[in-house]
Amino acid sequence: MRPRNRTVSARIARQALGAAGLTLTFGLAACSGGAVPAANSKTLSAADVDPAAAAALPERYKSAGVIKVASDIPYPPMEMFDENQKLTGLDYDLAQALGAKLGVRLELQTQAFDSIIPSLQSGKNDIIMSGMNDTAERQATLNFVDYFHAGFSILVPKGNPDRITTVMDLCGRNVAVQKATVQAEILRSYDQQCRDKGSEPVSVSELPLETDVQTAVRSGKAAADVVDSAAAAYAAKTAGNGKIFDIVKDPANPAGYNPVYTGIGVLKKDAELGKALLAALQAIVADGSYGTILEKYDLSDYRVKETGLNLGTAKP
């Protein structure tokens, strides 16, 4: 997913607003370094615990009773606030389900996406759930517990005024993506194909937040937003009650371009934590709650066919 997926001077204002809303709703204060505890987890019940997953969890997390989750909030539909300013979204709901199986709270903390891996390396957070794509480059630092599989889509203004029909129609145009995501790299991989057809390469603008990217498209500063298919579908459906954006439908790529796995990022040194999270994911797949959560956000098409670690570089 994220280029980000899964993007941010608008971020400063948005973080201030988010922090104020969180303090009001959850009674939580902002942390140093820009991280804000986004929400408390639901009340834990011993009846929900999966014995195998809980047994695999390293003792320090059992003792703490919490796993801190770095998440670049908001990034709908992965993580966002509802009309009551309560945290919701696919990643949030999955975090609650996984925590229930492990017998600990998974507590989301807002963290800028371009500093999300360093937040683990510094010890501020323990894992990442933020629509992060499982790539070979990121696997040099992280293990991924993969839970989602989707491509990237092209989001354009309503009515598609530039008549963009495929990714090659982006050649010579200004296209916005979220900073620190893989989308910029993907677009630049088309440079030679653009030249071969007598056009300039795509001009890629990298912005802090996905919301900033969408604002650039709405204002005409960018012809399109190349973003995870799930985020594109949500924006097209909800922005202005569906009157702001369209998704480019490319018959040759019905599931989006360059489908990739999205996963929970865990530092290599915390491999045992990754194994425990995988066991918890397998438990929510088995009891049906994984499927129910995907259905809630109309994301069933992007379920993983089988669970695993580091599927992003697995051989077919």
Side-chain angles (χ1 to χ4, degrees), residues 52-53 56-58 102 143 145 266 270-282 309:
L57 188 66
L102 293 167
N143 286 324
V145 181
V266 187
D270 292 327
E272 295 307 311
L273 174 58
K275 292 177 182 177
L277 288 163
L278 176 58
L281 177 61
Q282 291 168 337
L309 291 171

Side-chain angles (χ1 to χ4, degrees), residues 261-314:
Y261 284 96
T262 293
I264 303 168
V266 187
L267 289 177
K268 293 285 189 183
K269 69 181 183 65
D270 292 327
E272 295 307 311
L273 174 58
K275 292 177 182 177
L277 288 163
L278 176 58
L281 177 61
Q282 291 168 337
I284 66 171
V285 169
D287 72 11
S289 54
Y290 169 75
T292 299
I293 293 170
L294 288 173
E295 289 171 9
K296 175 180 176 181
Y297 297 101
D298 296 322
L299 298 174
S300 297
D301 289 344
Y302 308 122
R303 70 174 65 225
V304 291
K305 294 181 179 179
E306 58 183 82
T307 57
L309 291 171
N310 300 325
L311 298 177
T313 55

Side-chain angles (χ1 to χ4, degrees), residues 54-128:
L57 188 66
E59 185 58 42
R60 69 187 181 100
Y61 299 105
K62 295 179 186 177
S63 299
V66 63
I67 296 172
K68 294 181 180 180
V69 183
S71 190
D72 181 21
I73 304 167
Y75 188 70
M78 307 307 285
E79 46 269 336
M80 55 191 173
F81 296 104
D82 65 16
E83 62 276 10
N84 298 313
Q85 285 299 298
K86 291 185 178 180
L87 193 61
T88 185
L90 178 68
D91 284 339
Y92 175 75
D93 285 4
L94 284 175
Q96 305 316 298
L98 294 171
K101 296 300 181 186
L102 293 167
V104 297
R105 291 180 295 113
L106 265 66
E107 189 174 272
L108 271 67
Q109 314 274 332
T110 58
Q111 184 72 44
F113 196 77
D114 55 4
S115 63
I116 210 163
I117 294 177
S119 81
L120 266 62
Q121 294 168 322
S122 69
K124 181 184 295 182
N125 294 303
D126 303 312
I127 64 174
I128 296 166

Side-chain angles (χ1 to χ4, degrees), residues 16-243:
L17 177 62
L22 289 169
T23 302
L24 174 64
T25 305
F26 302 109
L28 296 169
C31 295
S32 61
V36 179
N40 289 315
S41 304
K42 70 177 184 180
T43 303
L44 296 172
S45 169
D48 295 328
V49 173
D50 180 79
L57 188 66
E59 185 58 42
R60 69 187 181 100
Y61 299 105
K62 295 179 186 177
S63 299
V66 63
I67 296 172
K68 294 181 180 180
V69 183
S71 190
D72 181 21
I73 304 167
Y75 188 70
M78 307 307 285
E79 46 269 336
M80 55 191 173
F81 296 104
D82 65 16
E83 62 276 10
N84 298 313
Q85 285 299 298
K86 291 185 178 180
L87 193 61
T88 185
L90 178 68
D91 284 339
Y92 175 75
D93 285 4
L94 284 175
Q96 305 316 298
L98 294 171
K101 296 300 181 186
L102 293 167
V104 297
R105 291 180 295 113
L106 265 66
E107 189 174 272
L108 271 67
Q109 314 274 332
T110 58
Q111 184 72 44
F113 196 77
D114 55 4
S115 63
I116 210 163
I117 294 177
S119 81
L120 266 62
Q121 294 168 322
S122 69
K124 181 184 295 182
N125 294 303
D126 303 312
I127 64 174
I128 296 166
M129 290 185 72
S130 194
M132 177 174 275
N133 297 330
D134 175 358
T135 66
E137 180 182 8
R138 287 172 176 152
Q139 281 185 26
T141 305
L142 304 171
N143 286 324
F144 285 91
V145 181
D146 292 312
Y147 61 90
F148 201 74
H149 189 246
F152 305 104
S153 293
I154 302 171
L155 194 68
V156 297
K158 194 70 176 179
N160 194 3
D162 291 323
R163 299 294 182 262
I164 294 168
T165 59
T166 75
V167 69
M168 295 306 295
D169 291 332
L170 299 178
C171 295
R173 299 185 187 276
N174 184 35
V175 176
V177 301
Q178 186 177 0
K179 185 178 180 180
T181 67
V182 301
Q183 276 86 320
E185 179 184 345
I186 289 172
L187 287 173
R188 290 178 180 124
S189 73
Y190 288 97
D191 283 3
Q192 190 56 51
Q193 292 181 58
C194 289
R195 294 189 182 100
D196 289 345
K197 76 164 197 168
S199 180
E200 292 295 317
V202 181
S203 177
V204 182
S205 297
E206 297 185 63
L207 303 177
L209 296 171
E210 174 56 25
T211 45
D212 299 332
V213 176
Q214 292 178 18
T215 297
V217 176
R218 294 177 68 165
S219 66
K221 293 181 179 179
D225 169 9
V226 174
V227 66
D228 301 331
S229 293
Y234 184 84
K237 179 180 179 180
T238 63
N241 292 319
K243 298 178 181 179

